[in-house]
Amino acid sequence: MTPEPAFLLHKRPYRETSALVELLTLHHGRVRAVAQGVQRPGSRSRGRLQPFAPLHLTWVGEGELKRLRLMESRGAAALLAGEGLLCGLYANELLTRALPVELPVAEVFAFYAALLEALPRPDARAGALRRLEFALLEALDAAPRFVEAGGGELDPQARYVFDVDSRAFRHGQPGLDGRTLRLLAGGDWEAPGLAGPAKAMARAALAPLLGTRPLRSRELMRQLAERRRTGLRPEL
């Protein structure tokens, strides 16, 4: 096969010298594979197969679990620390949990690559994360429909809550006002006052895809915020 652009989402040891990996690829979406010998001391592939680093990969296998063959680096890994690192871990965990295996999601891949460029810049993180989240929701046909649950237009003066079953909005408290929801429908989540509502909207829409098991990255982010609040140095 032609070498495929990819990023590593997750890696864990497998047998003595191998690893089970979850990959985000350009044309094949999420791919699960065995990286044979990658845990062996001195393995050249060990240094290449790292999170947040662009890769070129090939694999073989007809089943759900592939076997990696070629692993080439396409550049240096994004240099992430603190909150930026946790946002990257969140993106990896989100895609690993929500994406079905081998569903082509080229747009999600593009937004993930753009996210890695944005994460070192605090002012760019939120917008890049929302773009990735909503691209994922679109790819899974799970994006919010910014209309009332009955199909009518949103009333700017009314307040609404997200209805999971219809992916639309029904009247309710405390909820979001219709004017804010109309602005969110335009996709300009970095406009003043929209960062919080956009985050809440993304979380509500993603919840059915993630199930009841909490995301580890969210717990780490909560711990980081608590340490900052109490003046302790974060340990990541």
Side-chain angles (χ1 to χ4, degrees):
M1 66 179 294
T2 302
E4 176 84 355
F7 291 96
L8 175 68
L9 298 177
H10 186 260
K11 178 175 69 174
R12 62 186 177 89
Y14 178 66
R15 295 181 176 171
E16 292 185 3
T17 61
S18 300
L20 289 175
V21 297
E22 301 271 358
L23 305 161
L24 177 65
T25 70
L26 176 57
H27 296 109
H28 297 267
R30 183 168 71 91
V31 170
R32 300 180 67 243
V34 176
Q36 292 180 320
V38 75
Q39 300 289 86
R40 186 182 298 118
S43 168
R44 287 183 296 176
S45 297
R46 185 173 187 169
R48 297 170 186 158
L49 197 59
Q50 298 296 328
F52 316 124
L55 302 165
H56 264 160
L57 304 172
T58 63
W59 57 83
V60 294
E62 298 298 324
E64 183 176 298
L65 188 63
K66 313 299 184 185
R67 179 167 60 86
L68 291 186
R69 294 188 67 182
L70 173 73
M71 283 180 274
E72 294 180 343
S73 173
R74 295 175 53 233
L79 297 177
L80 305 178
E83 189 175 276
L85 174 60
L86 292 183
C87 289
L89 294 176
Y90 164 74
N92 286 1
E93 189 176 13
L94 174 66
L95 296 176
T96 301
R97 289 269 296 271
L99 268 181
V101 172
E102 295 189 68
L103 174 70
V105 285
E107 189 167 88
V108 172
F109 184 94
F111 280 114
Y112 180 85
L115 172 69
L116 296 186
E117 294 183 2
L119 287 182
R121 309 193 308 274
D123 61 330
R125 287 172 191 155
L129 277 172
R130 299 295 87 78
R131 283 187 283 273
L132 175 66
E133 289 169 334
F134 277 90
L136 174 63
L137 289 166
E138 289 283 355
L140 300 180
D141 196 27
R145 301 186 304 115
F146 289 93
V147 295
E148 290 192 353
E153 292 187 2
L154 296 170
D155 180 352
Q157 306 303 318
R159 299 197 73 83
Y160 296 92
V161 294
F162 183 63
D163 182 75
V164 172
D165 293 332
S166 67
R167 294 190 288 113
F169 294 85
R170 55 181 173 79
H171 292 269
Q173 297 287 343
L176 294 172
D177 61 88
R179 176 182 174 278
T180 296
L181 290 173
R182 286 185 171 192
L183 292 173
L184 289 176
D188 186 11
W189 308 302
E190 295 173 282
L194 290 187
K199 179 180 177 180
M201 187 68 267
R203 179 171 288 202
L206 287 167
L209 305 176
L210 297 173
T212 58
R213 181 161 53 95
L215 291 177
R216 175 61 176 159
S217 49
R218 282 181 180 163
E219 174 59 20
L220 291 173
M221 185 68 78
R222 187 197 65 77
Q223 292 175 10
L224 175 61
E226 179 64 17
R227 290 190 179 100
R228 285 178 171 173
R229 188 184 66 82
T230 57
L232 297 177
R233 182 182 179 85
E235 295 179 5
L236 299 177

